[in-house]
Protein backbone atom coordinates (compact mmCIF):
# COMPACT_ATOMS: atom_id res chain seq x y z
CA UNK A 1 0.00 0.00 0.00
CA UNK A 2 1.26 3.53 -0.81
CA UNK A 3 0.53 6.62 1.32
CA UNK A 4 1.59 10.24 0.77
CA UNK A 5 3.38 12.37 3.35
CA UNK A 6 3.37 16.22 3.34
CA UNK A 7 6.02 17.62 1.03
CA UNK A 8 9.08 18.92 2.91
CA UNK A 9 10.25 22.59 2.53
CA UNK A 10 12.37 23.23 -0.55
CA UNK A 11 15.05 25.55 1.02
CA UNK A 12 17.01 25.37 4.28
CA UNK A 13 19.67 27.49 6.00
CA UNK A 14 22.90 25.59 6.49
CA UNK A 15 23.76 27.62 9.62
CA UNK A 16 20.65 27.60 11.79
CA UNK A 17 18.32 25.18 9.97
CA UNK A 18 15.66 27.78 9.12
CA UNK A 19 13.38 26.56 6.31
CA UNK A 20 11.27 28.28 3.67
CA UNK A 21 9.18 27.20 0.73
CA UNK A 22 10.80 29.67 -1.70
CA UNK A 23 14.32 30.88 -2.24
CA UNK A 24 15.54 34.02 -0.48
CA UNK A 25 19.02 35.57 -0.43
CA UNK A 26 19.18 36.10 3.34
CA UNK A 27 18.19 33.80 6.16
CA UNK A 28 15.09 35.03 7.97
CA UNK A 29 16.38 33.69 11.31
CA UNK A 30 20.12 34.43 11.54
CA UNK A 31 20.03 37.18 8.89
CA UNK A 32 23.12 35.80 7.09
CA UNK A 33 23.48 36.09 3.33
CA UNK A 34 24.21 33.11 1.05
CA UNK A 35 23.45 30.39 3.59
CA UNK A 36 20.03 29.37 2.18
CA UNK A 37 20.39 26.39 -0.18
CA UNK A 38 17.96 24.17 -2.03
CA UNK A 39 17.39 20.67 -0.70
CA UNK A 40 16.22 17.57 -2.60
CA UNK A 41 12.48 17.36 -3.02
CA UNK A 42 11.04 14.18 -1.59
CA UNK A 43 8.33 12.28 -3.44
CA UNK A 44 6.42 11.47 -0.29
CA UNK A 45 5.66 7.91 -1.47
CA UNK A 46 6.15 5.31 1.27
CA UNK A 47 5.80 1.58 0.42
CA UNK A 48 4.89 -1.00 3.00
CA UNK A 49 3.61 -4.56 3.05
CA UNK A 50 0.45 -5.44 4.91
CA UNK A 51 0.52 -8.57 7.08
CA UNK A 52 -1.59 -11.42 5.71
CA UNK A 53 -2.97 -14.22 7.83
CA UNK A 54 -1.80 -17.64 6.55
CA UNK A 55 -4.33 -20.22 5.38
CA UNK A 56 -5.42 -22.91 7.78
CA UNK A 57 -3.30 -25.60 6.13
CA UNK A 58 -0.20 -23.43 5.96
CA UNK A 59 0.06 -22.25 9.55
CA UNK A 60 3.41 -22.61 11.29
CA UNK A 61 3.69 -25.79 13.34
CA UNK A 62 6.23 -26.95 15.93
CA UNK A 63 8.98 -28.92 14.25
CA UNK A 64 8.51 -31.71 16.76
CA UNK A 65 4.96 -32.26 15.50
CA UNK A 66 6.18 -32.96 11.96
CA UNK A 67 7.29 -36.40 10.79
CA UNK A 68 9.48 -37.42 7.89
CA UNK A 69 6.78 -39.89 6.82
CA UNK A 70 4.87 -36.95 5.39
CA UNK A 71 7.35 -36.88 2.48
CA UNK A 72 8.41 -40.47 1.81
CA UNK A 73 11.05 -41.06 -0.81
CA UNK A 74 10.08 -42.73 -4.05
CA UNK A 75 12.50 -44.84 -6.02
CA UNK A 76 13.33 -43.53 -9.47
CA UNK A 77 13.67 -47.10 -10.72
CA UNK A 78 17.41 -46.61 -11.34
CA UNK A 79 19.34 -47.78 -8.29
CA UNK A 80 22.52 -45.82 -9.08
CA UNK A 81 20.52 -42.60 -9.48
CA UNK A 82 18.74 -43.30 -6.18
CA UNK A 83 22.15 -43.74 -4.53
CA UNK A 84 23.18 -40.23 -5.56
CA UNK A 85 19.85 -38.72 -4.46
CA UNK A 86 20.17 -40.26 -1.00
CA UNK A 87 17.74 -43.15 -1.42
CA UNK A 88 15.15 -41.87 -3.88
CA UNK A 89 13.20 -38.83 -5.06
CA UNK A 90 11.50 -36.70 -2.41
CA UNK A 91 8.01 -35.43 -3.40
CA UNK A 92 8.16 -31.74 -4.28
CA UNK A 93 11.92 -31.79 -4.86
CA UNK A 94 13.47 -29.71 -7.63
CA UNK A 95 16.46 -31.55 -9.11
CA UNK A 96 18.96 -29.94 -11.48
CA UNK A 97 21.01 -32.28 -13.70
CA UNK A 98 23.94 -30.72 -15.55
CA UNK A 99 26.60 -32.15 -17.82
CA UNK A 100 28.62 -31.72 -20.99
CA UNK A 101 26.79 -31.89 -24.35
CA UNK A 102 26.42 -35.47 -25.55
CA UNK A 103 27.40 -37.08 -22.24
CA UNK A 104 24.00 -38.81 -21.96
CA UNK A 105 21.78 -36.59 -19.79
CA UNK A 106 18.68 -37.08 -21.94
CA UNK A 107 19.30 -40.82 -22.22
CA UNK A 108 19.62 -41.18 -18.45
CA UNK A 109 16.47 -39.17 -17.73
CA UNK A 110 14.50 -41.08 -20.37
CA UNK A 111 15.51 -44.27 -18.58
CA UNK A 112 14.43 -42.74 -15.25
CA UNK A 113 11.10 -41.71 -16.80
CA UNK A 114 10.51 -45.19 -18.23
CA UNK A 115 11.39 -46.87 -14.94
CA UNK A 116 8.96 -44.62 -13.05
CA UNK A 117 6.25 -45.32 -15.64
CA UNK A 118 6.79 -49.06 -15.33
CA UNK A 119 6.34 -48.65 -11.56
CA UNK A 120 2.84 -47.25 -12.18
CA UNK A 121 3.58 -43.51 -11.90
CA UNK A 122 2.58 -41.13 -14.67
CA UNK A 123 5.51 -39.14 -16.07
CA UNK A 124 5.57 -36.00 -18.23
CA UNK A 125 8.72 -35.53 -20.33
CA UNK A 126 8.85 -32.00 -21.78
CA UNK A 127 11.56 -31.71 -24.42
CA UNK A 128 12.59 -28.31 -25.69
CA UNK A 129 15.49 -29.57 -27.81
CA UNK A 130 13.98 -32.55 -29.66
CA UNK A 131 10.67 -33.31 -31.30
CA UNK A 132 8.39 -36.02 -29.97
CA UNK A 133 9.32 -38.23 -32.94
CA UNK A 134 13.03 -37.94 -32.12
CA UNK A 135 12.43 -38.81 -28.46
CA UNK A 136 10.27 -41.75 -29.57
CA UNK A 137 13.13 -43.09 -31.74
CA UNK A 138 15.53 -42.99 -28.80
CA UNK A 139 12.93 -44.59 -26.56
CA UNK A 140 12.54 -47.46 -29.03
CA UNK A 141 16.29 -48.02 -29.05
CA UNK A 142 16.58 -48.00 -25.26
CA UNK A 143 13.35 -49.88 -24.52
CA UNK A 144 11.71 -46.93 -22.76
CA UNK A 145 8.22 -47.21 -24.27
CA UNK A 146 5.31 -47.17 -21.83
CA UNK A 147 1.73 -45.89 -21.85
CA UNK A 148 2.26 -43.89 -18.64
CA UNK A 149 5.12 -41.90 -20.19
CA UNK A 150 3.80 -38.73 -21.83
CA UNK A 151 5.89 -36.64 -24.26
CA UNK A 152 5.55 -32.97 -25.11
CA UNK A 153 7.84 -30.89 -27.32
CA UNK A 154 7.36 -27.39 -25.88
CA UNK A 155 9.49 -24.30 -25.31
CA UNK A 156 6.79 -22.09 -23.75
CA UNK A 157 6.48 -22.14 -19.98
CA UNK A 158 2.74 -21.51 -19.97
CA UNK A 159 2.11 -24.44 -22.31
CA UNK A 160 4.26 -26.75 -20.15
CA UNK A 161 2.25 -25.73 -17.07
CA UNK A 162 -0.90 -26.45 -19.07
CA UNK A 163 0.40 -29.95 -19.86
CA UNK A 164 1.01 -30.49 -16.14
CA UNK A 165 -2.60 -29.53 -15.37
CA UNK A 166 -3.94 -31.78 -18.13
CA UNK A 167 -1.77 -34.87 -17.60
CA UNK A 168 -1.56 -34.71 -13.76
CA UNK A 169 1.83 -36.46 -13.64
CA UNK A 170 3.71 -37.73 -10.59
CA UNK A 171 7.11 -36.83 -12.11
CA UNK A 172 8.04 -34.03 -14.53
CA UNK A 173 11.24 -33.83 -16.58
CA UNK A 174 12.13 -30.59 -18.40
CA UNK A 175 14.92 -30.91 -20.97
CA UNK A 176 16.29 -28.27 -20.83
CA UNK A 177 15.62 -25.10 -18.83
CA UNK A 178 17.70 -22.97 -21.24
CA UNK A 179 15.28 -23.72 -24.10
CA UNK A 180 12.09 -22.66 -22.26
CA UNK A 181 10.85 -19.05 -22.28
CA UNK A 182 8.22 -17.27 -20.20
CA UNK A 183 5.91 -14.53 -21.46
CA UNK A 184 6.34 -12.71 -18.14
CA UNK A 185 10.03 -12.01 -18.79
CA UNK A 186 11.72 -10.13 -21.61
CA UNK A 187 14.55 -11.55 -23.69
CA UNK A 188 15.20 -14.77 -25.54
CA UNK A 189 15.21 -18.22 -23.98
CA UNK A 190 18.42 -19.03 -22.14
CA UNK A 191 19.13 -15.51 -20.92
CA UNK A 192 19.58 -15.09 -17.14
CA UNK A 193 16.23 -13.37 -16.60
CA UNK A 194 14.39 -16.07 -18.55
CA UNK A 195 16.19 -18.94 -16.82
CA UNK A 196 15.44 -17.41 -13.41
CA UNK A 197 11.75 -16.90 -14.22
CA UNK A 198 11.26 -20.38 -15.70
CA UNK A 199 13.06 -22.13 -12.86
CA UNK A 200 11.15 -20.14 -10.22
CA UNK A 201 7.81 -21.02 -11.79
CA UNK A 202 8.62 -24.73 -12.04
CA UNK A 203 9.90 -24.85 -8.46
CA UNK A 204 6.79 -23.06 -7.24
CA UNK A 205 4.59 -25.69 -8.92
CA UNK A 206 6.74 -28.47 -7.44
CA UNK A 207 6.33 -27.17 -3.89
CA UNK A 208 2.62 -26.44 -4.17
CA UNK A 209 1.71 -29.87 -5.57
CA UNK A 210 4.40 -32.08 -4.00
CA UNK A 211 5.42 -32.85 -7.59
CA UNK A 212 9.09 -33.75 -8.15
CA UNK A 213 10.60 -31.97 -11.14
CA UNK A 214 13.92 -32.81 -12.80
CA UNK A 215 15.44 -29.91 -14.76
CA UNK A 216 18.29 -30.31 -17.25
CA UNK A 217 20.81 -27.47 -17.28
CA UNK A 218 23.51 -26.69 -19.81
CA UNK A 219 27.09 -26.11 -18.69
CA UNK A 220 29.77 -23.65 -19.77
CA UNK A 221 33.27 -24.46 -21.00
CA UNK A 222 34.63 -24.66 -17.45
CA UNK A 223 31.93 -27.15 -16.45
CA UNK A 224 29.74 -24.85 -14.32
CA UNK A 225 25.99 -24.58 -14.85
CA UNK A 226 25.20 -21.99 -17.51
CA UNK A 227 22.93 -19.09 -16.61
CA UNK A 228 22.60 -17.32 -13.27
CA UNK A 229 24.20 -18.83 -10.21
CA UNK A 230 20.89 -18.32 -8.42
CA UNK A 231 19.56 -21.34 -10.33
CA UNK A 232 21.70 -23.63 -8.19
CA UNK A 233 20.49 -21.88 -5.04
CA UNK A 234 16.82 -22.28 -5.96
CA UNK A 235 16.79 -26.04 -6.54
CA UNK A 236 17.01 -28.70 -3.85
CA UNK A 237 19.48 -31.06 -5.55
CA UNK A 238 22.27 -30.34 -8.04
CA UNK A 239 23.67 -33.38 -9.85
CA UNK A 240 26.51 -33.37 -12.35
CA UNK A 241 26.71 -36.02 -15.08
CA UNK A 242 30.31 -36.45 -16.21
CA UNK A 243 32.31 -38.74 -18.41
CA UNK A 244 34.79 -38.91 -21.25
CA UNK A 245 33.45 -39.27 -24.78
CA UNK A 246 36.30 -41.64 -25.56
CA UNK A 247 35.11 -44.12 -22.93
CA UNK A 248 31.73 -45.59 -22.08
CA UNK A 249 31.98 -44.90 -18.35
CA UNK A 250 29.78 -42.20 -16.82
CA UNK A 251 29.52 -40.84 -13.26
CA UNK A 252 26.71 -38.91 -11.55
CA UNK A 253 27.80 -36.81 -8.58
CA UNK A 254 25.66 -34.76 -6.19
CA UNK A 255 27.10 -31.26 -5.76
CA UNK A 256 24.21 -30.17 -3.53
CA UNK A 257 21.54 -32.23 -1.78
CA UNK A 258 19.13 -30.90 0.81
CA UNK A 259 17.78 -34.39 1.48
CA UNK A 260 20.90 -36.53 1.65
CA UNK A 261 24.71 -36.73 1.46
CA UNK A 262 26.78 -35.21 -1.31
CA UNK A 263 29.57 -37.79 -1.28
CA UNK A 264 27.79 -40.54 -3.21
CA UNK A 265 28.61 -41.40 -6.83
CA UNK A 266 26.49 -43.29 -9.34
CA UNK A 267 28.29 -45.31 -12.00
CA UNK A 268 26.85 -45.97 -15.48
CA UNK A 269 28.02 -47.35 -18.80
CA UNK A 270 26.86 -46.18 -22.21
CA UNK A 271 25.89 -49.10 -24.43
CA UNK A 272 24.33 -49.48 -27.84
CA UNK A 273 20.92 -49.96 -26.26
CA UNK A 274 21.11 -46.98 -23.91
CA UNK A 275 22.64 -46.47 -20.50
CA UNK A 276 23.25 -49.31 -18.06
CA UNK A 277 23.93 -49.28 -14.33
CA UNK A 278 27.29 -50.51 -13.07
CA UNK A 279 26.72 -51.56 -9.44
CA UNK A 280 30.26 -52.99 -9.15
CA UNK A 281 32.64 -51.03 -11.39
CA UNK A 282 35.80 -52.70 -10.11
CA UNK A 283 36.24 -54.87 -13.21
CA UNK A 284 36.20 -51.83 -15.50
CA UNK A 285 39.49 -50.43 -14.20
CA UNK A 286 41.57 -53.62 -14.14
CA UNK A 287 43.48 -55.27 -16.95
CA UNK A 288 43.13 -58.96 -17.68
CA UNK A 289 45.74 -61.64 -18.17
CA UNK A 290 48.92 -62.53 -16.31
CA UNK A 291 50.74 -59.87 -14.24
CA UNK A 292 53.03 -57.60 -16.22
CA UNK A 293 55.93 -55.47 -14.92
CA UNK A 294 54.93 -51.85 -14.41
CA UNK A 295 51.41 -52.37 -13.04
CA UNK A 296 49.96 -51.88 -9.57
CA UNK A 297 46.42 -51.71 -8.22
CA UNK A 298 45.35 -48.81 -6.00
CA UNK A 299 42.07 -48.49 -4.10
CA UNK A 300 40.29 -45.28 -5.13
CA UNK A 301 37.44 -43.72 -3.21
CA UNK A 302 34.56 -42.26 -5.21
CA UNK A 303 32.19 -40.79 -2.66
CA UNK A 304 31.59 -43.61 -0.20
CA UNK A 305 32.43 -46.26 -2.76
CA UNK A 306 35.88 -47.83 -2.76
CA UNK A 307 36.99 -49.48 -5.99
CA UNK A 308 40.28 -50.78 -7.38
CA UNK A 309 42.04 -48.84 -10.13
CA UNK A 310 45.04 -50.24 -11.95
CA UNK A 311 47.98 -47.87 -12.52
CA UNK A 312 50.33 -48.75 -15.38
CA UNK A 313 53.83 -47.37 -16.00
CA UNK A 314 56.24 -47.75 -18.88
CA UNK A 315 59.86 -46.54 -18.80
CA UNK A 316 62.16 -46.24 -21.82
CA UNK A 317 65.83 -45.13 -21.81
CA UNK A 318 66.44 -41.84 -23.58
CA UNK A 319 69.38 -39.63 -24.50
CA UNK A 320 67.29 -36.46 -24.66
CA UNK A 321 68.23 -33.72 -22.20
CA UNK A 322 64.56 -33.42 -21.13
CA UNK A 323 62.98 -36.86 -20.73
CA UNK A 324 59.29 -37.13 -21.58
CA UNK A 325 56.65 -37.42 -18.88
CA UNK A 326 53.30 -38.51 -20.34
CA UNK A 327 50.42 -38.89 -17.86
CA UNK A 328 46.85 -40.00 -18.49
CA UNK A 329 44.16 -40.18 -15.81
CA UNK A 330 46.50 -39.02 -13.02
CA UNK A 331 47.76 -35.71 -11.70
CA UNK A 332 50.90 -34.91 -13.72
CA UNK A 333 52.41 -32.79 -10.93
CA UNK A 334 52.04 -35.62 -8.41
CA UNK A 335 53.60 -38.09 -10.86
CA UNK A 336 56.60 -35.76 -11.27
CA UNK A 337 56.91 -35.52 -7.48
CA UNK A 338 56.74 -39.31 -7.10
CA UNK A 339 59.51 -39.75 -9.69
CA UNK A 340 61.70 -37.28 -7.77
CA UNK A 341 61.08 -39.10 -4.47
CA UNK A 342 61.86 -42.44 -6.13
CA UNK A 343 65.24 -41.21 -7.33
CA UNK A 344 66.23 -39.31 -4.21
CA UNK A 345 64.85 -41.52 -1.43
CA UNK A 346 64.81 -45.01 -2.97
CA UNK A 347 67.83 -44.82 -5.29
CA UNK A 348 65.81 -45.69 -8.41
CA UNK A 349 67.00 -43.43 -11.22
CA UNK A 350 64.33 -42.01 -13.51
CA UNK A 351 66.03 -38.84 -14.80
CA UNK A 352 67.40 -40.65 -17.88
CA UNK A 353 64.11 -42.40 -18.77
CA UNK A 354 60.98 -41.45 -20.65
CA UNK A 355 58.13 -42.28 -18.27
CA UNK A 356 54.55 -43.00 -19.34
CA UNK A 357 51.95 -43.42 -16.57
CA UNK A 358 48.25 -44.14 -17.11
CA UNK A 359 45.15 -45.64 -15.53
CA UNK A 360 43.10 -48.47 -17.01
CA UNK A 361 39.58 -47.84 -18.25
CA UNK A 362 39.84 -44.06 -18.63
CA UNK A 363 39.09 -43.33 -14.97
CA UNK A 364 40.60 -40.17 -13.47
CA UNK A 365 42.44 -40.82 -10.20
CA UNK A 366 43.96 -37.61 -8.82
CA UNK A 367 43.85 -38.10 -5.05
CA UNK A 368 47.11 -38.53 -3.05
CA UNK A 369 46.23 -42.18 -2.34
CA UNK A 370 47.61 -43.03 -5.79
CA UNK A 371 51.19 -41.98 -4.94
CA UNK A 372 52.37 -45.35 -3.63
CA UNK A 373 50.82 -47.29 -6.51
CA UNK A 374 52.53 -44.96 -9.01
CA UNK A 375 55.90 -45.47 -7.30
CA UNK A 376 55.52 -49.28 -7.26
CA UNK A 377 54.41 -49.35 -10.90
CA UNK A 378 57.36 -47.20 -12.05
CA UNK A 379 59.82 -49.25 -9.96
CA UNK A 380 58.37 -52.46 -11.39
CA UNK A 381 58.77 -51.18 -14.94
CA UNK A 382 62.42 -50.23 -14.31
CA UNK A 383 63.30 -53.54 -12.65
CA UNK A 384 61.04 -55.74 -14.83
CA UNK A 385 59.36 -57.16 -11.72
CA UNK A 386 55.65 -57.89 -11.85
CA UNK A 387 53.35 -57.28 -8.89
CA UNK A 388 50.98 -60.18 -8.17
CA UNK A 389 47.26 -59.75 -8.77
CA UNK A 390 46.59 -60.27 -5.06
CA UNK A 391 48.50 -57.12 -4.02
CA UNK A 392 47.18 -53.54 -3.81
CA UNK A 393 48.80 -50.32 -2.64
CA UNK A 394 47.30 -47.28 -0.92
CA UNK A 395 49.33 -44.39 0.45
CA UNK A 396 50.52 -40.82 0.07
CA UNK A 397 54.23 -40.13 -0.36
CA UNK A 398 55.91 -37.19 1.33
CA UNK A 399 59.03 -35.50 0.00
CA UNK A 400 60.97 -37.17 2.81
CA UNK A 401 60.07 -40.60 1.45
CA UNK A 402 57.49 -41.40 4.13
CA UNK A 403 54.28 -43.28 3.37
CA UNK A 404 51.48 -41.29 4.94
CA UNK A 405 47.95 -42.54 5.73
CA UNK A 406 45.05 -41.48 3.52
CA UNK A 407 41.39 -40.78 4.21
CA UNK A 408 39.07 -43.75 4.79
CA UNK A 409 42.06 -46.11 4.99
CA UNK A 410 40.12 -48.79 6.89
CA UNK A 411 37.33 -48.79 4.31
CA UNK A 412 39.84 -49.10 1.47
CA UNK A 413 41.55 -52.06 3.14
CA UNK A 414 38.26 -53.84 3.84
CA UNK A 415 37.11 -53.33 0.24
CA UNK A 416 40.44 -54.65 -1.04
CA UNK A 417 40.07 -57.74 1.15
CA UNK A 418 36.51 -58.27 -0.09
CA UNK A 419 37.69 -58.15 -3.71
CA UNK A 420 40.38 -60.78 -3.08
CA UNK A 421 43.52 -58.70 -2.47
CA UNK A 422 45.39 -60.65 0.18
CA UNK A 423 48.15 -58.03 0.67
CA UNK A 424 47.64 -54.26 0.98
CA UNK A 425 50.78 -52.09 1.04
CA UNK A 426 50.02 -48.87 2.94
CA UNK A 427 51.38 -46.57 5.66
CA UNK A 428 52.28 -49.60 7.80
CA UNK A 429 55.42 -49.86 5.65
CA UNK A 430 56.46 -46.45 7.04
CA UNK A 431 58.82 -45.49 4.19
CA UNK A 432 59.03 -45.88 0.43
CA UNK A 433 62.01 -48.21 0.77
CA UNK A 434 60.04 -50.30 3.25
CA UNK A 435 57.05 -50.44 0.90
CA UNK A 436 59.23 -51.59 -2.02
CA UNK A 437 60.72 -54.23 0.28
CA UNK A 438 57.25 -55.47 1.20
CA UNK A 439 56.36 -55.67 -2.49
CA UNK A 440 59.53 -57.65 -3.12
CA UNK A 441 58.47 -60.18 -0.48
CA UNK A 442 55.18 -60.80 -2.30
CA UNK A 443 56.20 -60.13 -5.90
CA UNK A 444 55.26 -62.36 -8.80
CA UNK A 445 57.82 -64.71 -10.46
CA UNK A 446 60.50 -62.88 -12.43
CA UNK A 447 60.06 -62.63 -16.15
CA UNK A 448 63.68 -61.93 -17.18
CA UNK A 449 67.21 -62.70 -16.06
CA UNK A 450 68.41 -62.11 -12.51
CA UNK A 451 71.01 -59.52 -13.48
CA UNK A 452 68.23 -56.89 -13.60
CA UNK A 453 68.30 -55.02 -10.27
CA UNK A 454 65.61 -55.95 -7.77
CA UNK A 455 63.27 -53.59 -5.95
Amino acid sequence: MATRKPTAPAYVCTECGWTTAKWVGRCGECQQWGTVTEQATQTGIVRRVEATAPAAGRRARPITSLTSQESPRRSSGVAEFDRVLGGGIVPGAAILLSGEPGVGKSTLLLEVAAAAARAGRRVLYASGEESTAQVRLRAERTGALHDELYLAAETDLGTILGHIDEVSPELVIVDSVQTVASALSDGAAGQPAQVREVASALIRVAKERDLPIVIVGHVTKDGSVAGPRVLEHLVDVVCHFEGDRQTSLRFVRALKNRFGPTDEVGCFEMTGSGIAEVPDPSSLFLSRGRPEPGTCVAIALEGRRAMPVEVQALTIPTQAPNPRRVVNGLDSSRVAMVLAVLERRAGIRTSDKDVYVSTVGGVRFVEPAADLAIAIAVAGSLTENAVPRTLAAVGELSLAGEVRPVTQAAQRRSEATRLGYAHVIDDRSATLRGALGDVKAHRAPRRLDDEIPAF
Side-chain angles (χ1 to χ4, degrees):
M1 177 181 294
T3 59
R4 188 172 185 86
K5 299 190 304 183
T7 304
Y11 300 93
V12 62
C13 177
T14 58
E15 295 293 332
C16 64
W18 178 75
T19 59
T20 180
K22 59 182 180 179
W23 184 85
V24 292
R26 185 172 63 179
C27 175
E29 182 70 25
C30 62
Q31 301 298 317
Q32 295 190 33
W33 291 89
T35 59
V36 180
T37 60
E38 184 179 6
Q39 68 176 10
T41 303
Q42 300 180 5
T43 62
I45 302 298
V46 179
R47 296 184 180 274
R48 63 181 180 181
V49 178
E50 295 290 345
T52 303
R58 300 178 64 89
R59 293 184 182 276
R61 298 163 55 187
I63 191 172
T64 54
S65 66
L66 303 176
T67 61
S68 59
Q69 282 74 21
E70 295 182 4
S71 298
R73 295 179 183 270
R74 300 174 183 174
S75 174
S76 65
V78 180
E80 290 296 301
F81 194 52
D82 288 342
R83 175 198 293 268
V84 177
L85 297 178
I89 299 177
V90 176
I95 303 170
L96 175 65
L97 179 66
S98 63
E100 297 287 340
V103 74
K105 302 184 297 296
S106 300
T107 304
L108 172 63
L109 292 183
L110 189 60
E111 178 62 29
V112 170
R118 287 191 288 267
R121 298 194 298 272
R122 183 168 295 182
V123 182
L124 174 62
Y125 189 103
S127 175
E129 300 178 347
E130 298 176 283
S131 65
T132 54
Q134 292 173 327
V135 179
R136 159 80 190 208
L137 285 175
R138 191 168 72 251
E140 289 179 353
R141 177 173 57 87
T142 60
L145 298 177
H146 198 278
D147 291 338
E148 290 297 317
L149 176 55
Y150 287 73
L151 297 180
E154 297 292 348
T155 58
D156 179 68
L157 175 62
T159 308
I160 293 177
L161 297 180
H163 283 300
I164 294 177
D165 291 335
E166 182 179 347
V167 176
S168 298
E170 297 181 61
L171 175 65
V172 175
I173 298 174
V174 180
D175 185 10
S176 64
V177 68
Q178 276 86 4
T179 62
V180 181
S182 172
L184 300 178
S185 180
D186 296 331
Q191 292 186 351
Q194 283 285 0
V195 172
R196 187 183 299 108
E197 177 64 29
V198 171
S200 299
L202 292 173
I203 293 172
R204 185 166 57 251
V205 171
K207 303 304 180 185
E208 291 176 352
R209 307 188 184 187
D210 278 343
L211 174 64
I213 295 181
V214 182
I215 304 172
V216 177
H218 295 166
V219 297
T220 57
K221 292 182 179 180
D222 60 355
S224 59
V225 181
R229 192 72 176 182
V230 70
L231 181 62
E232 299 181 47
H233 293 283
L234 291 175
V235 298
D236 301 309
V237 182
V238 178
C239 296
H240 186 65
F241 198 32
E242 62 185 31
D244 190 351
R245 292 188 180 184
Q246 308 301 323
T247 63
S248 61
L249 192 63
R250 302 289 187 269
F251 289 107
V252 177
R253 305 176 188 271
L255 305 181
K256 170 189 175 182
N257 193 351
R258 289 174 177 167
F259 313 117
T262 57
D263 55 358
E264 285 289 358
V265 177
C267 189
F268 299 88
E269 185 178 12
M270 293 296 293
T271 63
S273 58
I275 193 165
E277 300 178 68
V278 184
D280 187 9
S282 59
S283 61
L284 298 176
F285 313 128
L286 301 175
S287 61
R288 297 173 176 82
R290 62 177 300 175
E292 292 289 338
T295 63
C296 185
V297 174
I299 306 299
L301 199 65
E302 289 288 345
R304 297 182 180 179
R305 172 182 290 174
M307 53 188 176
V309 175
E310 184 168 321
V311 178
Q312 296 184 341
L314 179 64
T315 57
I316 300 175
T318 181
Q319 300 297 327
N322 296 317
R324 299 188 64 186
R325 302 290 186 257
V326 181
V327 181
N328 183 28
L330 297 161
D331 188 352
S332 58
S333 61
R334 296 204 69 88
V335 172
M337 186 198 74
V338 169
L339 296 180
V341 173
L342 265 175
E343 182 159 343
R344 184 68 178 88
R345 303 299 180 185
I348 298 178
R349 188 173 182 182
T350 60
S351 57
D352 58 348
K353 305 288 192 305
D354 289 337
V355 180
Y356 303 83
V357 185
S358 176
T359 58
V360 173
V363 66
R364 185 157 180 80
F365 187 18
V366 295
E367 59 176 319
D371 290 354
L372 188 56
I374 296 171
I376 294 175
V378 172
S381 176
L382 287 169
T383 60
E384 289 293 338
N385 282 306
V387 176
R389 295 292 187 195
T390 58
L391 186 143
V394 177
E396 177 186 358
L397 288 181
S398 70
L399 295 180
E402 299 174 339
V403 180
R404 300 178 57 83
V406 296
T407 59
Q408 305 291 335
Q411 182 180 351
R412 297 177 199 254
R413 282 195 293 265
S414 62
E415 181 67 13
T417 303
R418 186 185 70 83
L419 295 174
Y421 293 95
H423 309 287
V424 178
I425 308 299
D426 53 15
D427 60 290
R428 292 172 293 184
S429 299
T431 64
L432 178 57
R433 284 186 177 272
L436 295 178
D438 293 339
V439 174
K440 180 180 179 181
H442 303 290
R443 72 187 182 190
R446 294 185 61 81
R447 299 287 304 277
L448 298 177
D449 298 333
D450 286 338
E451 66 267 12
I452 299 176
F455 276 178

